[in-house]
PDB file of all heavy atoms in Angstrom:
ATOM      1  N   LEU A 214      -0.201   8.974   1.813  1.00 95.00           N
ATOM      2  CA  LEU A 214       0.204   8.742   0.418  1.00 95.00           C
ATOM      3  C   LEU A 214       1.724   8.613   0.308  1.00 95.00           C
ATOM      4  O   LEU A 214       2.235   7.723  -0.373  1.00 95.00           O
ATOM      5  CB  LEU A 214      -0.310   9.879  -0.473  1.00 95.00           C
ATOM      6  CG  LEU A 214      -0.045   9.684  -1.957  1.00 95.00           C
ATOM      7  CD1 LEU A 214      -0.761   8.446  -2.489  1.00 95.00           C
ATOM      8  CD2 LEU A 214      -0.462  10.905  -2.756  1.00 95.00           C
ATOM      9  N   GLY A 215       2.453   9.494   1.017  1.00 96.00           N
ATOM     10  CA  GLY A 215       3.918   9.440   0.985  1.00 96.00           C
ATOM     11  C   GLY A 215       4.419   8.106   1.521  1.00 96.00           C
ATOM     12  O   GLY A 215       5.363   7.511   0.985  1.00 96.00           O
ATOM     13  N   ALA A 216       3.767   7.627   2.595  1.00 95.00           N
ATOM     14  CA  ALA A 216       4.181   6.348   3.179  1.00 95.00           C
ATOM     15  C   ALA A 216       3.941   5.212   2.185  1.00 95.00           C
ATOM     16  O   ALA A 216       4.760   4.302   2.047  1.00 95.00           O
ATOM     17  CB  ALA A 216       3.425   6.095   4.477  1.00 95.00           C
ATOM     18  N   TYR A 217       2.814   5.256   1.446  1.00 92.00           N
ATOM     19  CA  TYR A 217       2.552   4.233   0.428  1.00 92.00           C
ATOM     20  C   TYR A 217       3.569   4.324  -0.708  1.00 92.00           C
ATOM     21  O   TYR A 217       4.024   3.301  -1.224  1.00 92.00           O
ATOM     22  CB  TYR A 217       1.141   4.366  -0.141  1.00 92.00           C
ATOM     23  CG  TYR A 217       0.090   3.669   0.691  1.00 92.00           C
ATOM     24  CD1 TYR A 217      -1.018   4.359   1.159  1.00 92.00           C
ATOM     25  CD2 TYR A 217       0.190   2.318   0.992  1.00 92.00           C
ATOM     26  CE1 TYR A 217      -1.994   3.721   1.921  1.00 92.00           C
ATOM     27  CE2 TYR A 217      -0.771   1.669   1.750  1.00 92.00           C
ATOM     28  CZ  TYR A 217      -1.869   2.379   2.214  1.00 92.00           C
ATOM     29  OH  TYR A 217      -2.813   1.734   2.966  1.00 92.00           O
ATOM     30  N   LEU A 218       3.902   5.539  -1.120  1.00 95.00           N
ATOM     31  CA  LEU A 218       4.900   5.692  -2.189  1.00 95.00           C
ATOM     32  C   LEU A 218       6.217   5.044  -1.768  1.00 95.00           C
ATOM     33  O   LEU A 218       6.858   4.321  -2.540  1.00 95.00           O
ATOM     34  CB  LEU A 218       5.126   7.177  -2.498  1.00 95.00           C
ATOM     35  CG  LEU A 218       4.046   7.866  -3.338  1.00 95.00           C
ATOM     36  CD1 LEU A 218       4.191   9.384  -3.270  1.00 95.00           C
ATOM     37  CD2 LEU A 218       4.131   7.406  -4.788  1.00 95.00           C
ATOM     38  N   ALA A 219       6.616   5.320  -0.514  1.00 95.00           N
ATOM     39  CA  ALA A 219       7.873   4.767  -0.002  1.00 95.00           C
ATOM     40  C   ALA A 219       7.805   3.244   0.000  1.00 95.00           C
ATOM     41  O   ALA A 219       8.728   2.545  -0.415  1.00 95.00           O
ATOM     42  CB  ALA A 219       8.129   5.291   1.408  1.00 95.00           C
ATOM     43  N   ARG A 220       6.652   2.750   0.449  1.00 88.00           N
ATOM     44  CA  ARG A 220       6.479   1.313   0.563  1.00 88.00           C
ATOM     45  C   ARG A 220       6.564   0.625  -0.804  1.00 88.00           C
ATOM     46  O   ARG A 220       7.229  -0.409  -0.955  1.00 88.00           O
ATOM     47  CB  ARG A 220       5.101   1.104   1.181  1.00 88.00           C
ATOM     48  CG  ARG A 220       4.831  -0.262   1.579  1.00 88.00           C
ATOM     49  CD  ARG A 220       3.566  -0.305   2.356  1.00 88.00           C
ATOM     50  NE  ARG A 220       3.057  -1.633   2.166  1.00 88.00           N
ATOM     51  CZ  ARG A 220       1.851  -2.021   2.461  1.00 88.00           C
ATOM     52  NH1 ARG A 220       1.006  -1.166   2.958  1.00 88.00           N
ATOM     53  NH2 ARG A 220       1.494  -3.243   2.268  1.00 88.00           N
ATOM     54  N   TRP A 221       5.899   1.203  -1.818  1.00 87.00           N
ATOM     55  CA  TRP A 221       5.887   0.554  -3.124  1.00 87.00           C
ATOM     56  C   TRP A 221       7.215   0.713  -3.850  1.00 87.00           C
ATOM     57  O   TRP A 221       7.663  -0.204  -4.527  1.00 87.00           O
ATOM     58  CB  TRP A 221       4.718   1.061  -3.973  1.00 87.00           C
ATOM     59  CG  TRP A 221       3.457   0.523  -3.418  1.00 87.00           C
ATOM     60  CD1 TRP A 221       2.389   1.226  -2.943  1.00 87.00           C
ATOM     61  CD2 TRP A 221       3.165  -0.857  -3.160  1.00 87.00           C
ATOM     62  NE1 TRP A 221       1.442   0.377  -2.424  1.00 87.00           N
ATOM     63  CE2 TRP A 221       1.900  -0.904  -2.549  1.00 87.00           C
ATOM     64  CE3 TRP A 221       3.842  -2.047  -3.385  1.00 87.00           C
ATOM     65  CZ2 TRP A 221       1.304  -2.108  -2.169  1.00 87.00           C
ATOM     66  CZ3 TRP A 221       3.256  -3.237  -2.993  1.00 87.00           C
ATOM     67  CH2 TRP A 221       2.005  -3.257  -2.394  1.00 87.00           C
ATOM     68  N   ALA A 222       7.835   1.879  -3.713  1.00 92.00           N
ATOM     69  CA  ALA A 222       9.136   2.074  -4.371  1.00 92.00           C
ATOM     70  C   ALA A 222      10.133   1.055  -3.789  1.00 92.00           C
ATOM     71  O   ALA A 222      10.927   0.456  -4.509  1.00 92.00           O
ATOM     72  CB  ALA A 222       9.616   3.501  -4.174  1.00 92.00           C
ATOM     73  N   GLU A 223      10.045   0.843  -2.476  1.00 90.00           N
ATOM     74  CA  GLU A 223      10.952  -0.122  -1.835  1.00 90.00           C
ATOM     75  C   GLU A 223      10.632  -1.554  -2.279  1.00 90.00           C
ATOM     76  O   GLU A 223      11.519  -2.340  -2.595  1.00 90.00           O
ATOM     77  CB  GLU A 223      10.831  -0.007  -0.312  1.00 90.00           C
ATOM     78  CG  GLU A 223      11.950  -0.688   0.451  1.00 90.00           C
ATOM     79  CD  GLU A 223      11.554  -2.014   1.069  1.00 90.00           C
ATOM     80  OE1 GLU A 223      10.364  -2.347   1.096  1.00 90.00           O
ATOM     81  OE2 GLU A 223      12.449  -2.737   1.523  1.00 90.00           O
ATOM     82  N   ALA A 224       9.324  -1.834  -2.374  1.00 82.00           N
ATOM     83  CA  ALA A 224       8.915  -3.189  -2.796  1.00 82.00           C
ATOM     84  C   ALA A 224       9.419  -3.491  -4.204  1.00 82.00           C
ATOM     85  O   ALA A 224       9.701  -4.642  -4.529  1.00 82.00           O
ATOM     86  CB  ALA A 224       7.403  -3.327  -2.749  1.00 82.00           C
ATOM     87  N   TRP A 225       9.530  -2.480  -5.049  1.00 86.00           N
ATOM     88  CA  TRP A 225      10.010  -2.698  -6.417  1.00 86.00           C
ATOM     89  C   TRP A 225      11.507  -2.466  -6.541  1.00 86.00           C
ATOM     90  O   TRP A 225      12.017  -2.260  -7.630  1.00 86.00           O
ATOM     91  CB  TRP A 225       9.215  -1.834  -7.400  1.00 86.00           C
ATOM     92  CG  TRP A 225       7.818  -2.355  -7.529  1.00 86.00           C
ATOM     93  CD1 TRP A 225       7.441  -3.664  -7.583  1.00 86.00           C
ATOM     94  CD2 TRP A 225       6.615  -1.596  -7.584  1.00 86.00           C
ATOM     95  NE1 TRP A 225       6.065  -3.755  -7.671  1.00 86.00           N
ATOM     96  CE2 TRP A 225       5.533  -2.501  -7.676  1.00 86.00           C
ATOM     97  CE3 TRP A 225       6.326  -0.229  -7.561  1.00 86.00           C
ATOM     98  CZ2 TRP A 225       4.215  -2.095  -7.750  1.00 86.00           C
ATOM     99  CZ3 TRP A 225       5.003   0.164  -7.644  1.00 86.00           C
ATOM    100  CH2 TRP A 225       3.970  -0.759  -7.739  1.00 86.00           C
ATOM    101  N   GLY A 226      12.190  -2.468  -5.439  1.00 88.00           N
ATOM    102  CA  GLY A 226      13.641  -2.574  -5.496  1.00 88.00           C
ATOM    103  C   GLY A 226      14.429  -1.304  -5.270  1.00 88.00           C
ATOM    104  O   GLY A 226      15.660  -1.356  -5.233  1.00 88.00           O
ATOM    105  N   ALA A 227      13.765  -0.144  -5.127  1.00 95.00           N
ATOM    106  CA  ALA A 227      14.531   1.103  -4.935  1.00 95.00           C
ATOM    107  C   ALA A 227      15.093   1.166  -3.517  1.00 95.00           C
ATOM    108  O   ALA A 227      14.562   0.553  -2.587  1.00 95.00           O
ATOM    109  CB  ALA A 227      13.642   2.311  -5.199  1.00 95.00           C
ATOM    110  N   ASP A 228      16.185   1.917  -3.398  1.00 96.00           N
ATOM    111  CA  ASP A 228      16.722   2.251  -2.079  1.00 96.00           C
ATOM    112  C   ASP A 228      15.963   3.526  -1.676  1.00 96.00           C
ATOM    113  O   ASP A 228      16.097   4.557  -2.322  1.00 96.00           O
ATOM    114  CB  ASP A 228      18.231   2.491  -2.283  1.00 96.00           C
ATOM    115  CG  ASP A 228      18.862   3.265  -1.159  1.00 96.00           C
ATOM    116  OD1 ASP A 228      18.334   3.235  -0.052  1.00 96.00           O
ATOM    117  OD2 ASP A 228      19.911   3.902  -1.418  1.00 96.00           O
TER     118      ASP A 228
END
Side-chain angles (χ1 to χ4, degrees):
L214 185 62
Y217 275 125
L218 283 165
R220 190 171 154 194
W221 289 120
E223 195 256 349
W225 289 320
D228 161 25

